[in-house]
Amino acid sequence: GLPWAARAGAGTDCERGHLSDMLGELPERTLLLADAGFVGYELCRELLVRGHAFLLRVGGNRELLTGLEGR
């Protein structure tokens, strides 16, 4: 529940870009909670590579992969 890093910018700034800039500032094993606008393979992969966990809200317009257990 502790806010760790923040960015501010114009209304036209890219929030995903701000998050990418902050990844190096996060403590080890951070749990990142983010809204639907942050969904994307590159971001998820980068978080996993850095040892972080994440919970991202997704909209009904996203297709999720299933049946990957045990692969």
Side-chain angles (χ1 to χ4, degrees), residues 14-70:
C14 175
E15 292 175 337
R16 290 179 74 163
H18 286 305
L19 176 57
S20 293
D21 291 344
M22 289 188 283
L23 290 181
E25 300 174 32
L26 298 176
E28 290 182 16
R29 298 180 7 215
T30 292
L31 171 59
L32 179 73
L33 306 175
D35 201 7
F38 294 92
V39 174
Y41 174 81
E42 294 82 12
L43 173 62
C44 294
R45 183 179 181 284
E46 184 65 26
L47 288 166
L48 290 173
V49 165
R50 292 175 180 256
H52 302 306
F54 54 90
L55 178 62
L56 305 175
R57 184 178 74 87
V58 296
N61 62 339
R62 295 289 181 172
E63 185 174 334
L64 303 178
L65 296 175
T66 61
L68 298 175
E69 302 86 14

